[in-house]
Amino acid sequence: MLDKKTLEEFKQKLLDEKKQLENELAQLANKEGEGEYEAKYEDYGRTEEDNAEEVETYTANISITETLEKNLKDVNDALERMKNGKYGICEKCGKKEIRIERLKAYPAARSCIVCAEKK
Ligand SMILES: [Zn+2]
């Protein structure tokens, strides 16, 4: 099991990541609700070129927003598991503990390496 000190370190890492993700999202998207974002549509101007650029930026924003949103959800879920005392236990098999090296590299990891590689 993870000791209290290690858990606290991971919690801090997750909270930092959450803040960073929320900052990045705030630049690209409007917040629609808790953990829900809608990509911003920026108005550059009226010419055809402006419009083409608007659509291009918007399309890129949507895909970045989706990725960030997913990462944010992973982080929020990890924090939730921490509250429930389930942090570090694989979500897929429910038995194996996620190796600490894996959590260090990615504190929001949901599954053990065996389950992650199955996918
Ligand atoms: Zn597993």
Side-chain angles (χ1 to χ4, degrees):
M1 262 321 248
L2 294 165
D3 59 56
K4 225 176 162 190
K5 189 174 161 281
T6 313
L7 264 178
E8 200 51 47
E9 272 173 36
F10 283 134
K11 188 180 174 187
Q12 207 47 54
K13 265 191 173 180
L14 286 163
L15 287 172
D16 287 348
E17 204 175 332
K18 182 182 158 102
K19 211 183 281 170
Q20 201 192 325
L21 285 166
E22 283 176 342
N23 282 342
E24 285 177 47
L25 275 161
Q27 289 169 27
L28 295 166
N30 297 312
K31 197 171 180 178
E32 299 284 304
E34 194 48 48
E36 278 176 59
Y37 292 83
E38 197 69 50
K40 278 181 194 165
Y41 190 97
E42 301 208 47
D43 202 354
Y44 292 138
R46 293 271 159 263
T47 69
E48 216 167 283
E49 215 170 281
D50 288 337
N51 289 340
E53 208 172 318
E54 280 167 19
V55 172
E56 204 175 296
T57 308
Y58 181 58
T59 311
N61 279 358
I62 290 177
S63 91
I64 303 167
T65 299
E66 273 172 8
T67 307
L68 292 174
E69 227 175 340
K70 194 189 150 286
N71 293 346
L72 183 60
K73 189 171 188 311
D74 286 348
V75 169
N76 280 334
D77 287 354
L79 287 165
E80 194 59 36
R81 286 198 298 279
M82 232 171 229
K83 257 189 235 158
N84 301 330
K86 289 185 175 152
Y87 181 75
I89 298 166
C90 174
E91 266 190 355
K92 295 268 160 53
C93 58
K95 292 174 218 142
K96 283 204 192 76
E97 284 179 22
I98 304 169
R99 283 173 56 196
I100 191 148
E101 293 78 22
R102 182 163 160 76
L103 289 172
K104 272 186 184 149
Y106 186 54
R110 293 173 183 276
S111 53
C112 67
I113 196 86
V114 180
C115 291
E117 278 174 357
K118 266 187 210 160
K119 258 200 320 198

